[in-house]
Amino acid sequence: MSEVEVITLEQPSVKDPFEINMLEPDKVSFSRSQGGVFQGIIEGQAYEEIVLFRVFPFQYTTQFISVRNPKNEEIGVIRDIAQLDEESRVEIDKELQLRYFLPLVEQINSVKNKADLWIWELQTNLGPTRIIMRNLHEFMQFPSENRIILTDINGKRCEIRDYQALDSNSRSQLKDVL
């Protein structure tokens, strides 16, 4: 009888697409190029362009930040930007503010219901604005106890960071719709 040789082939390692790579704060740094492009060094590899997303955009504004390449492939997740060096924190904060433009409501002038639409006249940190909603339940989100995100029918959003901190007239306007 002849001897049979058994050859085992190693399977190439395939990355699990659902595996989350939590980035270590001391192994990342972020900055801007001379042209203003957000870039970084992650685990020893330089990336000329990086895109950021909040994994939980309403609940955690500075935690669980998804770091991706321009092809939208995730490189890893930052647990909390507070753990990073100062330059990285500043640049990440700027980048997130650009991506998640969210004016802060300073005053509610009026909330009226006309022709099945809710019309909000607001003063924000960026000036006056109007939010129009079809119904309150679909267009108001409550990510935490006193925080409210308002979204109008065209997708424009603004935030009431703490409705208890608003002036009495604003709280009265809000009380009528809550």
Side-chain angles (χ1 to χ4, degrees):
M1 287 199 155
S2 66
E3 211 172 288
V4 176
E5 185 178 335
V6 177
I7 301 174
T8 58
L9 299 174
E10 286 191 30
Q11 296 292 329
S13 73
V14 177
K15 185 178 176 187
D16 181 354
F18 299 105
E19 182 179 337
I20 297 172
N21 178 26
M22 297 303 287
L23 300 172
E24 296 297 324
D26 59 341
K27 294 184 179 178
V28 299
S29 68
F30 300 95
S31 61
R32 294 216 179 260
S33 69
Q34 284 186 333
V37 176
F38 185 66
Q39 61 185 5
I41 299 173
I42 301 169
E43 298 173 343
Q45 183 173 345
Y47 292 85
E48 292 180 2
E49 184 177 353
I50 294 174
V51 182
L52 300 177
F53 291 92
R54 289 178 175 140
V55 176
F56 305 103
F58 296 129
Q59 192 70 25
Y60 301 107
T61 57
T62 62
Q63 298 170 311
F64 305 107
I65 307 300
S66 176
V67 180
R68 301 177 188 192
N69 66 24
K71 295 179 182 176
N72 205 27
E73 299 165 334
E74 188 169 80
I75 300 164
V77 174
I78 299 167
R79 186 177 307 280
D80 189 343
I81 68 171
Q83 299 171 336
L84 302 176
D85 65 87
E86 185 176 356
E87 181 184 6
S88 294
R89 281 193 314 270
V90 168
E91 292 303 332
I92 286 175
D93 190 49
K94 284 181 192 175
E95 193 69 14
L96 290 172
Q97 285 186 27
L98 289 171
R99 176 167 298 285
Y100 296 95
F101 179 72
L102 194 61
L104 298 175
V105 174
E106 296 175 340
Q107 185 176 0
I108 301 171
N109 296 334
S110 68
V111 181
K112 298 177 182 166
N113 188 327
K114 292 183 180 176
D116 291 333
L117 294 175
W118 290 90
I119 302 168
W120 298 62
E121 297 291 339
L122 308 168
Q123 290 294 325
T124 72
N125 62 329
L126 301 175
T129 193
R130 175 183 286 174
I131 298 282
I132 300 172
M133 304 175 181
R134 292 207 189 284
N135 67 57
L136 298 173
H137 301 292
E138 286 182 41
F139 294 93
M140 292 177 71
Q141 295 177 319
F142 301 87
S144 60
E145 189 174 338
N146 294 332
R147 187 171 172 224
I148 304 170
I149 306 294
L150 304 172
T151 307
D152 83 352
I153 58 178
N154 296 315
K156 180 171 65 174
R157 297 180 311 167
C158 58
E159 172 184 11
I160 300 172
R161 190 153 289 156
D162 180 358
Y163 73 82
Q164 298 289 351
L166 294 173
D167 63 273
S168 62
N169 180 57
S170 296
R171 286 192 315 271
S172 175
Q173 294 285 334
L174 192 58
K175 180 182 163 191
D176 292 341
V177 296
L178 292 178

